[in-house]
Structures are given as C-alpha cells and as structure tokens.
Amino acid sequence: MIKAVFFDIDGTLVGFSTHRIPESAKEAIGQLKAKGIKVFIATGRHWKVINNLDGLEFDGYVTLNGTCCYAGKDRLVYKKAIPAEDVRRLAVIEAGAGAFPCIVVRESDMFINCLNAETDEVFRLLNFPVPPVRDFREALEAEVFQLIGFFREAQEQEVMAQLPGCEATRWNPLFTDIVPRGGSKRVGMEKLLGYFGISRAECMAFGDGGNDIPMLEYAGIGVAMGNAGEEVKATADYVAPPVDEDGIARTLRHFGLVD
C-alpha cells in the first residue's frame, strides 16, 4: 500500500510553459492528503527559491538534490555539505581562464559569481529568481551544499576531475548540479522515509530529469513524466502523460490512489 508520494517540481509538478501546477494535480494532492498519504517535494532547488507551488503545503522537502532535507517546512532532518577542499579547488578554477558562471548554494542563502546569456536563458525557463552576484571566494566562508555550474557536457569531465568529493547530476544541457559524492534525491527520500517510518516499497516518486533517476529507481513505484528524456523513462516502472496533460492526476488515478 502506498503511504508516501514524492514529487519533483520543474517539469513534473510544474510545466515549463505555464510555471504553474495544473489544477488537476492540486486536486489529486488534496485527495492524497485527505487519505493520510504523506506528500513530499524532492527538488534541486533551495527552499528559498521554491516559488511555484501555489501555496500547497507538503509533509517534507528533499532540497538541493538530497543534501538538505526537512520534515515540514523547517525541521532539518539531514544535511551533507560539499568537502571544503573541493570548494577551494573550484575557487582556483574560477579565478583563472577556465572560469564559468556558478551558483553557490549554502544552507540559508545563495549567490552567483557572474551572469551570461546562458544563465539568463535558464532563469527565464525556470522562472527562477536571479541570485545576487558576488565574488566566488565568498564560498569559502561557510558550508556549501550544492554548486550549479553553467558549463556544457563536453566540459563536465574536465571540471569534475578536479572535484573528487563531488558528483554531477545533469538535467539540462546548459548546466549541471554539483553535489557531495553520495548525495542524491534517493538519499533524501531514504532519510525522510526513515523519519516518518515508511518503507521504500510503500512510496511512489514522480520525476522527469536526470537528477530524478536515483529517486525513481529507489521508490516502490517510480514514475517518469511523458515529457522526460528516454534515459529517465527507461529507469521508471511507469511512464505518465506529460505534466501539462494532467499526467500527475491521471497516473494517481491509474494506481487507484485518487478518484
């Protein structure tokens, strides 16, 4: 029996064209909650820039791809920072000719070292607030839980080779999320399920991006959205219609979780 459902945000709960949760998904989530089924967010976003849930409240939040996890809005259940030595190595890269735009995400804030046409495109796509621009060296002053590097896949191997304590999880050709090695939405799910006393077999997860793959593989039922890439669909137990075609509600109805 399903007791918990995890939802990615961008491309899963929220369409890229509307930046809104479909009304059908809102109604379905309401039905889940009414039945006592826990509902969770699992996102790469920092909690400060989760700005597109239309006031819906969830039982917990896996943020920053699993590196900061909360029960309710503010009870920190788990966190894992990027090794300080890796942040120092990246500061050297950012001070040289190989510099690229990078968002530094800390527990309570975030900033970016510079902007360009590609960062502007991504912020428009995601309806994402533009972080303040600061010197990258400020990343050395406090724990960092995620880095968002604006470089393409061809450059990824070169950059990541210099960050041995990290791994990259990409869901867009223009940037990649950099998290501590061993960090993922799967880890965040595991921590929240443990906190609430729910087994992995009793949970369902919805996602559409490469960073959702570990979550979909771990869940009792992993659901890829119809707008997901083929690699994501291949790891899922079920492929839903796209987000903007009522994919969430139709899939929950298919599994008998809502009316």
Side-chain angles (χ1 to χ4, degrees), residues 5-257:
V5 183
F6 288 78
F7 299 97
D8 169 54
I9 298 178
D10 299 294
T12 299
L13 265 184
V14 176
F16 291 117
S17 59
T18 65
H19 303 297
R20 299 291 300 274
I21 302 176
E23 289 300 320
S24 62
K26 293 181 189 178
E27 293 172 8
I29 289 170
Q31 287 192 43
L32 292 177
K33 295 174 74 172
K35 292 181 176 182
I37 298 173
K38 301 290 187 185
V39 290
F40 299 101
I41 288 296
T43 181
R45 290 186 181 230
H46 189 280
W47 63 267
K48 277 195 169 183
V49 292
I50 299 177
N51 60 352
N52 49 2
L53 297 182
D54 292 335
L56 290 183
E57 293 193 2
F58 292 79
D59 295 290
Y61 299 80
V62 174
T63 70
L64 304 180
N65 289 303
T67 63
C68 285
C69 304
Y70 302 87
K73 287 185 175 179
D74 52 15
R75 183 177 180 84
L76 184 66
V77 172
Y78 172 78
K79 68 177 182 177
K80 182 177 183 179
I82 288 174
E85 183 58 35
D86 279 24
V87 179
R88 286 191 286 270
R89 290 190 182 100
L90 187 53
V92 173
I93 296 172
E94 294 290 13
F100 51 83
C102 185
I103 299 177
V104 176
V105 188
R106 301 184 289 200
E107 186 172 348
S108 59
D109 69 346
M110 63 173 59
F111 66 88
I112 191 168
N113 60 330
C114 62
L115 300 169
N116 63 14
E118 294 190 341
T119 61
D120 293 345
E121 180 179 342
V122 168
F123 296 152
R124 282 194 302 271
L125 172 70
L126 301 180
N127 191 30
F128 192 94
V130 179
V133 178
R134 299 179 187 164
D135 191 306
F136 187 86
R137 288 174 293 185
E138 289 194 27
L140 304 174
E141 297 174 3
E143 285 185 316
V144 174
F145 291 90
Q146 182 168 274
L147 297 158
I148 303 172
F150 287 82
F151 50 80
R152 294 182 180 266
E153 196 166 1
Q155 191 183 353
E156 185 172 310
Q157 185 174 356
E158 176 187 351
V159 173
M160 296 308 299
Q162 299 177 70
L163 306 176
C166 296
E167 55 190 78
T169 176
R170 180 180 293 272
W171 57 277
N172 184 286
L174 299 181
F175 69 90
T176 190
D177 294 335
I178 301 170
V179 298
R181 186 165 294 282
S184 69
K185 290 186 181 184
R186 168 183 173 155
V187 172
M189 285 178 65
E190 188 176 6
K191 299 301 181 182
L192 283 182
L193 289 173
Y195 179 87
F196 285 98
I198 300 171
S199 73
R200 60 184 289 192
E202 296 171 315
C203 81
M204 175 184 285
F206 288 78
D208 75 299
N211 60 337
D212 294 318
I213 289 176
M215 175 173 74
L216 301 187
E217 291 177 332
Y218 182 75
I221 301 174
V223 179
M225 303 306 292
N227 45 278
E230 292 306 314
E231 182 184 10
V232 181
K233 292 177 181 177
T235 67
D237 301 298
Y238 183 82
V239 177
V243 54
D244 291 326
E245 296 178 18
D246 299 319
I248 297 292
R250 290 167 64 183
T251 298
L252 291 172
R253 193 175 301 119
H254 169 81
F255 283 99
L257 297 178

